[in-house]
Amino acid sequence: LDELQQIAGRVTVLRDGASLETAPMSSVSREDLVRMMVGREVSSVFPKRNGPLGDVVLDARGVSSPECGIRDVSLTVRAGEIVGLAGLVGAGRTEFAEILFGIRRAGKGTIQIGNREVAPGSPEDAVRLGIAYVPEDRRRNGLILEMPVAANATLGMLSRQPGLRALDFTWERDLASRYALQLGIKTASVDAPAKTLSGGNQQKVCLSRWMATQPSLLILDEPTQGVDVGAKAEIHSLMVEFASKGIAILMISSELPEILGMSDRIAVMREGSIAGVLSRSEATQQTVLSLALGLGEEARA
C-alpha cells in the first residue's frame, strides 16, 4: 500500500472477484483503500477485545539452549490471553517457539503446561501435551502443498484415531469441510491441492489443522506474513475468537502494528533473552523498538 502512494497514478480495488472502484491515487488515502479492500473500517483489521483471563497455561522459567542462542527465557501465557513476542530478526523468537514445540531441545530451565512440568522431545509429544504451532514459512513447513486441503487440515488428528489401519476419507473430508466453513476457507473443494489456495486461505488451513486438536496453547509465528489486508483482518478475528474460547496464544510477529494491535502483553526478545515485558497500555512503537535495540531503560523513561 505504501508503494501505491509513491508510484501509482490510478488504483483499482478488487474484492471477491469483482472490480469495486477505480480512482486517481491522489484522491484516496491508505485508510480508504483498506476500507474498500476489506469492506470494513481500518480498525477492524485489529479487532482485539479485552476479555477475562484464566489460569496460567504456559509457564517457562529459565529456558536456555546454547545450541540455538536462547538464554534464560522466562515467560507466562494465560488462558484467553494473546502474548506478542517481538524483537529483531535473529533475536531468538522462532528458536524459543521451536523449543516449546519439541523441534529443539532446551539445555536447562523448566516448561510447565497447566500444572504439569513437561519436556517435549518431539512435535508429537507437544501435540499430545496440547501445544500447537503454526510456523513462519507455511509453504515449506506448514503445509504439504501437493496434498488436498482435507488431508492438510486433518494431519494433526491422525494419531488420535485408535487402531487406524486405513484412512477414512469420509471422516477426513467431513472434518475438513466443517473447519473450512468455520474458518471461512475459500476453496473450490476440500479435495483441491493446498497449493491452489491463496496465501491467506493456506494460512487458515494451517490453523484448522491445529484447531481440530483442541490445543490449550497455540503458537503463531508470523501469522499474517504474505497475506493481503482482508485475510489479515480475518486471521486476527479468528485469533480473538480462539482466545475467547480460553486458548492461550503466543504470537510472534515482526509487524509492530500487529504486535501493538493484537497483544494483551508484549514480551520483547533481544540476543536470545527477554529484554522486557510491556502491558498493552504502556506499549508503543518506541518502547518496543527501544527494548529490541537494547535501550530498555530509555524506553521506560
Side-chain angles (χ1 to χ4, degrees):
L1 293 182
D2 293 332
E3 289 179 338
L4 288 178
Q5 300 283 353
Q6 297 170 17
I7 67 176
R10 289 183 298 119
V11 60
T12 296
V13 177
L14 303 178
R15 189 171 77 226
D16 295 333
S19 176
L20 189 67
E21 184 174 338
T22 297
M25 194 67 240
S26 60
S27 70
V28 294
S29 66
R30 179 189 177 98
E31 289 72 22
D32 292 332
L33 289 175
V34 172
R35 183 172 60 253
M36 287 188 284
M37 293 167 66
V38 182
R40 299 183 294 275
E41 293 297 325
V42 178
S43 59
S44 69
V45 176
F46 302 109
K48 184 71 181 75
R49 298 189 300 269
N50 294 325
L53 303 182
D55 296 333
V56 172
V57 173
L58 169 67
D59 187 359
R61 300 186 183 184
V63 174
S64 298
S65 174
E67 293 180 357
C68 52
I70 298 300
R71 300 181 295 111
D72 196 30
V73 172
S74 296
L75 184 67
T76 62
V77 187
R78 304 174 71 91
E81 184 179 33
I82 300 176
V83 173
L85 193 57
L88 302 179
V89 173
R93 299 169 302 167
T94 294
E95 289 79 3
F96 176 61
E98 290 178 345
I99 287 173
L100 296 178
F101 197 59
I103 297 172
R104 299 174 184 261
R105 295 292 185 93
K108 67 174 184 177
T110 62
I111 299 171
Q112 190 166 302
I113 299 296
N115 54 10
R116 177 183 176 188
E117 187 172 320
V118 301
S122 67
E124 186 179 8
D125 288 345
V127 173
R128 280 198 296 263
L129 294 167
I131 305 172
Y133 176 47
V134 177
E136 177 181 5
D137 190 338
R138 62 179 168 270
R139 295 182 65 86
R140 177 176 296 179
N141 302 318
L143 294 167
I144 303 175
L145 294 172
E146 304 299 329
M147 292 181 69
V149 170
N152 275 282
T154 56
L155 281 174
M157 291 291 290
L158 294 183
S159 63
R160 300 191 180 188
Q161 301 301 303
L164 188 65
R165 293 292 181 269
L167 285 175
D168 184 339
F169 292 107
T170 300
W171 164 83
E172 181 180 82
R173 294 183 81 261
D174 287 347
L175 184 64
S177 296
R178 187 161 70 248
Y179 275 97
L181 181 63
Q182 181 179 334
L183 274 63
I185 299 171
K186 295 178 182 177
T187 177
S189 166
V190 294
D191 296 320
K195 67 180 180 181
T196 64
L197 274 59
S198 67
N201 285 297
Q202 288 180 351
Q203 192 74 335
K204 291 179 188 177
V205 173
C206 293
L207 286 170
S208 70
R209 173 189 302 171
W210 296 121
M211 297 319 299
T213 68
Q214 298 182 329
S216 56
L217 173 66
L218 174 61
I219 305 169
L220 302 173
D221 196 344
E222 304 289 1
T224 61
Q225 185 177 75
V227 307
D228 64 63
V229 68
K232 181 174 294 191
E234 292 174 351
I235 291 170
H236 288 160
S237 293
L238 289 171
M239 290 170 58
V240 172
E241 180 183 341
F242 298 157
S244 70
K245 294 179 179 178
I247 297 174
I249 298 177
L250 179 62
M251 177 188 70
I252 300 169
S253 178
S254 298
E255 295 188 25
L256 278 178
E258 183 170 60
I259 283 285
L260 295 171
M262 293 301 298
S263 305
D264 294 297
R265 287 185 298 125
I266 298 169
V268 184
M269 289 193 70
R270 179 175 180 270
E271 296 181 352
S273 60
I274 299 290
V277 179
L278 302 168
S279 68
R280 184 177 176 85
S281 61
E282 66 184 338
T284 64
Q285 291 200 22
Q286 180 183 350
T287 55
V288 173
L289 281 174
S290 294
L291 286 169
L293 293 168
L295 306 173
E297 293 302 317
E298 297 177 25
R300 294 173 178 272

